PDB file of all heavy atoms in Angstrom:
ATOM      1  N   LYS A   4     233.526  84.929  27.541  1.00  0.00           N
ATOM      2  CA  LYS A   4     234.793  85.638  27.515  1.00  0.00           C
ATOM      3  C   LYS A   4     235.756  84.941  26.561  1.00  0.00           C
ATOM      4  O   LYS A   4     235.820  83.714  26.514  1.00  0.00           O
ATOM      5  CB  LYS A   4     235.417  85.698  28.914  1.00  0.00           C
ATOM      6  CG  LYS A   4     234.587  86.453  29.941  1.00  0.00           C
ATOM      7  CD  LYS A   4     234.550  87.934  29.644  1.00  0.00           C
ATOM      8  CE  LYS A   4     233.789  88.698  30.737  1.00  0.00           C
ATOM      9  NZ  LYS A   4     233.712  90.157  30.441  1.00  0.00           N
ATOM     10  N   SER A   5     236.507  85.714  25.823  1.00  0.00           N
ATOM     11  CA  SER A   5     237.423  85.136  24.838  1.00  0.00           C
ATOM     12  C   SER A   5     238.525  84.318  25.487  1.00  0.00           C
ATOM     13  O   SER A   5     239.104  83.438  24.858  1.00  0.00           O
ATOM     14  CB  SER A   5     238.038  86.244  23.986  1.00  0.00           C
ATOM     15  OG  SER A   5     238.816  87.129  24.799  1.00  0.00           O
ATOM     16  N   GLN A   6     238.842  84.579  26.757  1.00  0.00           N
ATOM     17  CA  GLN A   6     239.919  83.883  27.446  1.00  0.00           C
ATOM     18  C   GLN A   6     239.406  82.736  28.326  1.00  0.00           C
ATOM     19  O   GLN A   6     240.142  82.192  29.144  1.00  0.00           O
ATOM     20  CB  GLN A   6     240.727  84.867  28.291  1.00  0.00           C
ATOM     21  CG  GLN A   6     241.434  85.935  27.466  1.00  0.00           C
ATOM     22  CD  GLN A   6     242.170  86.943  28.325  1.00  0.00           C
ATOM     23  OE1 GLN A   6     242.215  86.817  29.542  1.00  0.00           O
ATOM     24  NE2 GLN A   6     242.742  87.953  27.693  1.00  0.00           N
ATOM     25  N   ALA A   7     238.127  82.372  28.150  1.00  0.00           N
ATOM     26  CA  ALA A   7     237.561  81.262  28.906  1.00  0.00           C
ATOM     27  C   ALA A   7     238.073  79.931  28.344  1.00  0.00           C
ATOM     28  O   ALA A   7     238.678  79.884  27.273  1.00  0.00           O
ATOM     29  CB  ALA A   7     236.041  81.307  28.846  1.00  0.00           C
ATOM     30  N   THR A   8     237.802  78.859  29.087  1.00  0.00           N
ATOM     31  CA  THR A   8     238.207  77.529  28.638  1.00  0.00           C
ATOM     32  C   THR A   8     237.028  76.823  27.973  1.00  0.00           C
ATOM     33  O   THR A   8     235.870  77.241  28.119  1.00  0.00           O
ATOM     34  CB  THR A   8     238.689  76.675  29.818  1.00  0.00           C
ATOM     35  OG1 THR A   8     237.599  76.492  30.731  1.00  0.00           O
ATOM     36  CG2 THR A   8     239.848  77.353  30.540  1.00  0.00           C
ATOM     37  N   PHE A   9     237.328  75.751  27.272  1.00  0.00           N
ATOM     38  CA  PHE A   9     236.267  74.959  26.660  1.00  0.00           C
ATOM     39  C   PHE A   9     235.407  74.304  27.737  1.00  0.00           C
ATOM     40  O   PHE A   9     234.226  74.043  27.535  1.00  0.00           O
ATOM     41  CB  PHE A   9     236.872  73.890  25.736  1.00  0.00           C
ATOM     42  CG  PHE A   9     237.300  74.427  24.399  1.00  0.00           C
ATOM     43  CD1 PHE A   9     238.579  74.915  24.214  1.00  0.00           C
ATOM     44  CD2 PHE A   9     236.419  74.455  23.327  1.00  0.00           C
ATOM     45  CE1 PHE A   9     238.981  75.417  22.985  1.00  0.00           C
ATOM     46  CE2 PHE A   9     236.805  74.957  22.088  1.00  0.00           C
ATOM     47  CZ  PHE A   9     238.088  75.450  21.919  1.00  0.00           C
ATOM     48  N   GLY A  10     236.008  74.047  28.907  1.00  0.00           N
ATOM     49  CA  GLY A  10     235.243  73.487  30.015  1.00  0.00           C
ATOM     50  C   GLY A  10     234.173  74.448  30.500  1.00  0.00           C
ATOM     51  O   GLY A  10     233.046  74.033  30.818  1.00  0.00           O
ATOM     52  N   GLU A  11     234.503  75.741  30.548  1.00  0.00           N
ATOM     53  CA  GLU A  11     233.520  76.749  30.948  1.00  0.00           C
ATOM     54  C   GLU A  11     232.404  76.846  29.914  1.00  0.00           C
ATOM     55  O   GLU A  11     231.234  77.049  30.260  1.00  0.00           O
ATOM     56  CB  GLU A  11     234.211  78.097  31.124  1.00  0.00           C
ATOM     57  CG  GLU A  11     235.186  78.148  32.286  1.00  0.00           C
ATOM     58  CD  GLU A  11     235.936  79.460  32.350  1.00  0.00           C
ATOM     59  OE1 GLU A  11     235.431  80.395  33.002  1.00  0.00           O
ATOM     60  OE2 GLU A  11     237.030  79.545  31.758  1.00  0.00           O
ATOM     61  N   LEU A  12     232.770  76.697  28.658  1.00  0.00           N
ATOM     62  CA  LEU A  12     231.769  76.717  27.588  1.00  0.00           C
ATOM     63  C   LEU A  12     230.829  75.516  27.708  1.00  0.00           C
ATOM     64  O   LEU A  12     229.613  75.636  27.523  1.00  0.00           O
ATOM     65  CB  LEU A  12     232.461  76.713  26.226  1.00  0.00           C
ATOM     66  CG  LEU A  12     231.550  76.691  24.990  1.00  0.00           C
ATOM     67  CD1 LEU A  12     230.592  77.877  24.988  1.00  0.00           C
ATOM     68  CD2 LEU A  12     232.388  76.680  23.709  1.00  0.00           C
ATOM     69  N   LYS A  13     231.376  74.361  28.083  1.00  0.00           N
ATOM     70  CA  LYS A  13     230.554  73.161  28.259  1.00  0.00           C
ATOM     71  C   LYS A  13     229.533  73.352  29.377  1.00  0.00           C
ATOM     72  O   LYS A  13     228.391  72.897  29.279  1.00  0.00           O
ATOM     73  CB  LYS A  13     231.446  71.962  28.561  1.00  0.00           C
ATOM     74  CG  LYS A  13     232.251  71.461  27.372  1.00  0.00           C
ATOM     75  CD  LYS A  13     233.120  70.271  27.758  1.00  0.00           C
ATOM     76  CE  LYS A  13     233.915  69.753  26.570  1.00  0.00           C
ATOM     77  NZ  LYS A  13     234.754  68.580  26.933  1.00  0.00           N
ATOM     78  N   LYS A  14     229.948  74.015  30.465  1.00  0.00           N
ATOM     79  CA  LYS A  14     229.030  74.263  31.578  1.00  0.00           C
ATOM     80  C   LYS A  14     227.867  75.145  31.137  1.00  0.00           C
ATOM     81  O   LYS A  14     226.723  74.946  31.566  1.00  0.00           O
ATOM     82  CB  LYS A  14     229.777  74.924  32.734  1.00  0.00           C
ATOM     83  CG  LYS A  14     230.758  74.000  33.437  1.00  0.00           C
ATOM     84  CD  LYS A  14     231.472  74.713  34.569  1.00  0.00           C
ATOM     85  CE  LYS A  14     232.476  73.794  35.265  1.00  0.00           C
ATOM     86  NZ  LYS A  14     233.200  74.489  36.354  1.00  0.00           N
ATOM     87  N   MET A  15     228.164  76.127  30.284  1.00  0.00           N
ATOM     88  CA  MET A  15     227.107  77.012  29.792  1.00  0.00           C
ATOM     89  C   MET A  15     226.166  76.258  28.859  1.00  0.00           C
ATOM     90  O   MET A  15     224.958  76.490  28.846  1.00  0.00           O
ATOM     91  CB  MET A  15     227.726  78.214  29.079  1.00  0.00           C
ATOM     92  CG  MET A  15     228.575  79.102  29.988  1.00  0.00           C
ATOM     93  SD  MET A  15     229.310  80.510  29.130  1.00  0.00           S
ATOM     94  CE  MET A  15     227.864  81.510  28.827  1.00  0.00           C
ATOM     95  N   LEU A  16     226.717  75.315  28.087  1.00  0.00           N
ATOM     96  CA  LEU A  16     225.896  74.542  27.161  1.00  0.00           C
ATOM     97  C   LEU A  16     225.045  73.504  27.892  1.00  0.00           C
ATOM     98  O   LEU A  16     224.010  73.081  27.382  1.00  0.00           O
ATOM     99  CB  LEU A  16     226.797  73.837  26.133  1.00  0.00           C
ATOM    100  CG  LEU A  16     227.457  74.748  25.097  1.00  0.00           C
ATOM    101  CD1 LEU A  16     228.533  73.992  24.342  1.00  0.00           C
ATOM    102  CD2 LEU A  16     226.414  75.307  24.125  1.00  0.00           C
ATOM    103  N   ALA A  17     225.478  73.099  29.076  1.00  0.00           N
ATOM    104  CA  ALA A  17     224.738  72.093  29.839  1.00  0.00           C
ATOM    105  C   ALA A  17     223.328  72.568  30.160  1.00  0.00           C
ATOM    106  O   ALA A  17     222.364  71.800  30.109  1.00  0.00           O
ATOM    107  CB  ALA A  17     225.489  71.755  31.121  1.00  0.00           C
ATOM    108  N   GLY A  18     223.190  73.845  30.504  1.00  0.00           N
ATOM    109  CA  GLY A  18     221.880  74.384  30.826  1.00  0.00           C
ATOM    110  C   GLY A  18     220.951  74.459  29.629  1.00  0.00           C
ATOM    111  O   GLY A  18     219.729  74.405  29.774  1.00  0.00           O
ATOM    112  N   ARG A  19     221.514  74.542  28.444  1.00  0.00           N
ATOM    113  CA  ARG A  19     220.696  74.670  27.239  1.00  0.00           C
ATOM    114  C   ARG A  19     220.394  73.326  26.601  1.00  0.00           C
ATOM    115  O   ARG A  19     219.344  73.143  25.992  1.00  0.00           O
ATOM    116  CB  ARG A  19     221.408  75.572  26.218  1.00  0.00           C
ATOM    117  CG  ARG A  19     221.762  76.942  26.769  1.00  0.00           C
ATOM    118  CD  ARG A  19     222.252  77.855  25.680  1.00  0.00           C
ATOM    119  NE  ARG A  19     222.664  79.161  26.201  1.00  0.00           N
ATOM    120  CZ  ARG A  19     222.895  80.220  25.445  1.00  0.00           C
ATOM    121  NH1 ARG A  19     222.780  80.139  24.134  1.00  0.00           N
ATOM    122  NH2 ARG A  19     223.257  81.370  25.994  1.00  0.00           N
ATOM    123  N   THR A  20     221.311  72.397  26.718  1.00  0.00           N
ATOM    124  CA  THR A  20     221.139  71.100  26.068  1.00  0.00           C
ATOM    125  C   THR A  20     220.706  70.001  27.031  1.00  0.00           C
ATOM    126  O   THR A  20     220.220  68.954  26.604  1.00  0.00           O
ATOM    127  CB  THR A  20     222.461  70.670  25.400  1.00  0.00           C
ATOM    128  OG1 THR A  20     223.467  70.498  26.407  1.00  0.00           O
ATOM    129  CG2 THR A  20     222.926  71.729  24.406  1.00  0.00           C
ATOM    130  N   GLY A  21     220.897  70.224  28.344  1.00  0.00           N
ATOM    131  CA  GLY A  21     220.592  69.189  29.320  1.00  0.00           C
ATOM    132  C   GLY A  21     221.627  68.088  29.350  1.00  0.00           C
ATOM    133  O   GLY A  21     221.418  67.045  29.975  1.00  0.00           O
ATOM    134  N   LEU A  22     222.738  68.315  28.687  1.00  0.00           N
ATOM    135  CA  LEU A  22     223.808  67.322  28.605  1.00  0.00           C
ATOM    136  C   LEU A  22     224.874  67.624  29.641  1.00  0.00           C
ATOM    137  O   LEU A  22     225.390  68.743  29.709  1.00  0.00           O
ATOM    138  CB  LEU A  22     224.420  67.340  27.199  1.00  0.00           C
ATOM    139  CG  LEU A  22     225.333  66.193  26.803  1.00  0.00           C
ATOM    140  CD1 LEU A  22     224.588  64.867  26.843  1.00  0.00           C
ATOM    141  CD2 LEU A  22     225.908  66.426  25.405  1.00  0.00           C
ATOM    142  N   ASN A  23     225.196  66.634  30.463  1.00  0.00           N
ATOM    143  CA  ASN A  23     226.222  66.799  31.497  1.00  0.00           C
ATOM    144  C   ASN A  23     227.538  67.226  30.867  1.00  0.00           C
ATOM    145  O   ASN A  23     227.948  66.676  29.840  1.00  0.00           O
ATOM    146  CB  ASN A  23     226.405  65.474  32.240  1.00  0.00           C
ATOM    147  CG  ASN A  23     227.236  65.625  33.495  1.00  0.00           C
ATOM    148  OD1 ASN A  23     228.380  66.059  33.464  1.00  0.00           O
ATOM    149  ND2 ASN A  23     226.662  65.241  34.617  1.00  0.00           N
ATOM    150  N   PRO A  24     228.234  68.231  31.443  1.00  0.00           N
ATOM    151  CA  PRO A  24     229.516  68.675  30.874  1.00  0.00           C
ATOM    152  C   PRO A  24     230.519  67.539  30.695  1.00  0.00           C
ATOM    153  O   PRO A  24     231.332  67.566  29.755  1.00  0.00           O
ATOM    154  CB  PRO A  24     230.018  69.692  31.908  1.00  0.00           C
ATOM    155  CG  PRO A  24     228.786  70.214  32.545  1.00  0.00           C
ATOM    156  CD  PRO A  24     227.847  69.042  32.602  1.00  0.00           C
ATOM    157  N   LEU A  25     230.445  66.521  31.565  1.00  0.00           N
ATOM    158  CA  LEU A  25     231.376  65.392  31.451  1.00  0.00           C
ATOM    159  C   LEU A  25     231.053  64.507  30.252  1.00  0.00           C
ATOM    160  O   LEU A  25     231.899  63.713  29.820  1.00  0.00           O
ATOM    161  CB  LEU A  25     231.337  64.553  32.734  1.00  0.00           C
ATOM    162  CG  LEU A  25     231.758  65.256  34.019  1.00  0.00           C
ATOM    163  CD1 LEU A  25     231.559  64.333  35.219  1.00  0.00           C
ATOM    164  CD2 LEU A  25     233.212  65.710  33.940  1.00  0.00           C
ATOM    165  N   ASP A  26     229.830  64.635  29.722  1.00  0.00           N
ATOM    166  CA  ASP A  26     229.413  63.812  28.585  1.00  0.00           C
ATOM    167  C   ASP A  26     229.511  64.569  27.267  1.00  0.00           C
ATOM    168  O   ASP A  26     229.057  64.066  26.228  1.00  0.00           O
ATOM    169  CB  ASP A  26     227.969  63.332  28.779  1.00  0.00           C
ATOM    170  CG  ASP A  26     227.812  62.513  30.051  1.00  0.00           C
ATOM    171  OD1 ASP A  26     228.816  61.975  30.534  1.00  0.00           O
ATOM    172  OD2 ASP A  26     226.676  62.422  30.564  1.00  0.00           O
ATOM    173  N   GLN A  27     230.086  65.775  27.292  1.00  0.00           N
ATOM    174  CA  GLN A  27     230.155  66.606  26.095  1.00  0.00           C
ATOM    175  C   GLN A  27     231.497  66.464  25.378  1.00  0.00           C
ATOM    176  O   GLN A  27     232.539  66.331  26.009  1.00  0.00           O
ATOM    177  CB  GLN A  27     229.935  68.081  26.456  1.00  0.00           C
ATOM    178  CG  GLN A  27     228.556  68.382  27.007  1.00  0.00           C
ATOM    179  CD  GLN A  27     228.375  69.864  27.327  1.00  0.00           C
ATOM    180  OE1 GLN A  27     229.059  70.714  26.756  1.00  0.00           O
ATOM    181  NE2 GLN A  27     227.474  70.167  28.241  1.00  0.00           N
ATOM    182  N   LYS A  28     231.414  66.517  24.055  1.00  0.00           N
ATOM    183  CA  LYS A  28     232.618  66.521  23.223  1.00  0.00           C
ATOM    184  C   LYS A  28     232.506  67.697  22.255  1.00  0.00           C
ATOM    185  O   LYS A  28     231.618  67.718  21.394  1.00  0.00           O
ATOM    186  CB  LYS A  28     232.737  65.213  22.440  1.00  0.00           C
ATOM    187  CG  LYS A  28     233.983  65.129  21.558  1.00  0.00           C
ATOM    188  CD  LYS A  28     233.939  63.934  20.625  1.00  0.00           C
ATOM    189  CE  LYS A  28     234.020  62.637  21.398  1.00  0.00           C
ATOM    190  NZ  LYS A  28     234.102  61.463  20.460  1.00  0.00           N
ATOM    191  N   LEU A  29     233.372  68.697  22.445  1.00  0.00           N
ATOM    192  CA  LEU A  29     233.351  69.893  21.592  1.00  0.00           C
ATOM    193  C   LEU A  29     234.409  69.768  20.510  1.00  0.00           C
ATOM    194  O   LEU A  29     235.585  69.523  20.803  1.00  0.00           O
ATOM    195  CB  LEU A  29     233.604  71.147  22.424  1.00  0.00           C
ATOM    196  CG  LEU A  29     232.381  71.781  23.105  1.00  0.00           C
ATOM    197  CD1 LEU A  29     232.803  72.935  24.001  1.00  0.00           C
ATOM    198  CD2 LEU A  29     231.368  72.263  22.076  1.00  0.00           C
TER     199      LEU A  29
END
């Protein structure tokens, strides 16, 4: 969604990259 947060995007990327959202830097 265009109105989502970067935190929500990190959660979606966690499943694809295996990287914990807390360890991500966008």
Side-chain angles (χ1 to χ4, degrees):
K4 298 291 184 182
S5 63
Q6 297 177 4
T8 63
F9 281 90
E11 293 175 89
L12 178 57
K13 288 180 179 181
K14 290 180 181 179
M15 297 180 71
L16 289 168
R19 304 189 183 193
T20 63
L22 193 61
N23 191 301
L25 298 175
D26 301 338
Q27 296 181 24
K28 181 190 293 185
L29 275 175

